[in-house]
PDB file of all heavy atoms in Angstrom:
ATOM      1  N   HIS A  59      62.364  51.784  80.496  1.00  0.00           N
ATOM      2  CA  HIS A  59      63.300  50.762  80.014  1.00  0.00           C
ATOM      3  C   HIS A  59      62.422  49.570  79.503  1.00  0.00           C
ATOM      4  O   HIS A  59      61.855  48.767  80.327  1.00  0.00           O
ATOM      5  CB  HIS A  59      64.186  50.287  81.134  1.00  0.00           C
ATOM      6  CG  HIS A  59      65.230  49.270  80.749  1.00  0.00           C
ATOM      7  ND1 HIS A  59      66.406  49.107  81.486  1.00  0.00           N
ATOM      8  CD2 HIS A  59      65.279  48.397  79.731  1.00  0.00           C
ATOM      9  CE1 HIS A  59      67.124  48.153  80.873  1.00  0.00           C
ATOM     10  NE2 HIS A  59      66.456  47.752  79.820  1.00  0.00           N
ATOM     11  N   HIS A  61      61.790  46.825  75.984  1.00  0.00           N
ATOM     12  CA  HIS A  61      62.300  46.391  74.664  1.00  0.00           C
ATOM     13  C   HIS A  61      61.239  45.928  73.743  1.00  0.00           C
ATOM     14  O   HIS A  61      61.448  45.646  72.472  1.00  0.00           O
ATOM     15  CB  HIS A  61      63.309  45.225  74.806  1.00  0.00           C
ATOM     16  CG  HIS A  61      64.569  45.625  75.585  1.00  0.00           C
ATOM     17  ND1 HIS A  61      65.621  46.244  74.987  1.00  0.00           N
ATOM     18  CD2 HIS A  61      64.857  45.511  76.869  1.00  0.00           C
ATOM     19  CE1 HIS A  61      66.569  46.481  75.915  1.00  0.00           C
ATOM     20  NE2 HIS A  61      66.148  46.040  77.023  1.00  0.00           N
ATOM     21  N   GLU A 124      70.578  50.352  75.065  1.00  0.00           N
ATOM     22  CA  GLU A 124      71.202  49.494  76.075  1.00  0.00           C
ATOM     23  C   GLU A 124      72.267  48.689  75.349  1.00  0.00           C
ATOM     24  O   GLU A 124      71.944  47.778  74.565  1.00  0.00           O
ATOM     25  CB  GLU A 124      70.160  48.518  76.716  1.00  0.00           C
ATOM     26  CG  GLU A 124      70.730  47.773  77.856  1.00  0.00           C
ATOM     27  CD  GLU A 124      69.659  46.956  78.662  1.00  0.00           C
ATOM     28  OE1 GLU A 124      68.734  46.508  78.030  1.00  0.00           O
ATOM     29  OE2 GLU A 124      69.853  46.765  79.828  1.00  0.00           O
ATOM     30  N   HIS A 211      68.673  48.602  85.837  1.00  0.00           N
ATOM     31  CA  HIS A 211      68.210  47.494  86.635  1.00  0.00           C
ATOM     32  C   HIS A 211      69.206  47.107  87.777  1.00  0.00           C
ATOM     33  O   HIS A 211      69.895  46.101  87.664  1.00  0.00           O
ATOM     34  CB  HIS A 211      67.728  46.251  85.866  1.00  0.00           C
ATOM     35  CG  HIS A 211      68.534  45.874  84.635  1.00  0.00           C
ATOM     36  ND1 HIS A 211      69.887  45.610  84.673  1.00  0.00           N
ATOM     37  CD2 HIS A 211      68.173  45.720  83.330  1.00  0.00           C
ATOM     38  CE1 HIS A 211      70.255  45.287  83.454  1.00  0.00           C
ATOM     39  NE2 HIS A 211      69.309  45.384  82.617  1.00  0.00           N
ATOM     40  N   ASP A 269      61.709  46.277  81.537  1.00  0.00           N
ATOM     41  CA  ASP A 269      62.751  45.625  80.762  1.00  0.00           C
ATOM     42  C   ASP A 269      62.068  44.537  79.949  1.00  0.00           C
ATOM     43  O   ASP A 269      62.689  43.474  79.657  1.00  0.00           O
ATOM     44  CB  ASP A 269      63.870  45.067  81.663  1.00  0.00           C
ATOM     45  CG  ASP A 269      65.127  44.692  80.954  1.00  0.00           C
ATOM     46  OD1 ASP A 269      65.260  45.080  79.796  1.00  0.00           O
ATOM     47  OD2 ASP A 269      65.906  43.948  81.514  1.00  0.00           O
TER      48      ASP A 269
HETATM   49 ZN1   ZN B   1      66.980  46.026  78.957  1.00  0.00          ZN
END
Side-chain angles (χ1 to χ4, degrees):
H59 186 158
H61 299 275
E124 188 174 31
H211 41 57
D269 195 14

